Amino acid sequence: GICKLLRAEVDLRWQLIGERRRYGPRGRNGGGDGAPGGQGVWKDGEWVGVRGKGGGWLRAGERLRLETPGGGGVGGKRLEAFPT
């Protein structure tokens, strides 16, 4: 997945509708599962976890971290780039 870090320049309200926060996307045809996503808010010098669906307030200077889920794999065997 991708990790995005957003810093509030002014006081603001945020809303989040996230999916795949508890379990990552399933792999197919023997591929491994992807990693679940996550999110948190930097408040008073520490990261505080927040729910995948909901919202809250950020004061100027506070940060919201968004981690998107990783994709699930496809296929169980690794293929050689150039078989001989």
Side-chain angles (χ1 to χ4, degrees):
I2 296 172
C3 182
K4 297 179 182 184
L5 187 61
L6 308 168
R7 186 170 67 93
E9 296 290 327
V10 298
D11 293 354
L12 60 86
R13 180 164 171 71
W14 59 271
Q15 288 291 133
L16 178 64
I17 302 174
E19 293 289 334
R20 298 288 179 189
R21 298 312 201 219
R22 187 170 297 175
Y23 304 104
R26 298 293 306 234
R28 293 180 51 157
N29 301 330
D33 294 344
Q39 56 281 327
V41 174
W42 182 257
K43 285 188 175 278
D44 302 321
E46 66 179 354
W47 285 109
V48 178
V50 295
R51 302 183 100 192
K53 289 184 172 55
W57 289 92
L58 288 179
R59 290 177 287 183
E62 292 179 336
R63 297 178 204 134
L64 176 64
R65 183 184 71 224
L66 303 173
E67 298 173 0
T68 62
V74 177
K77 291 187 175 184
R78 185 178 179 143
L79 300 175
E80 295 294 324
F82 297 101
T84 56

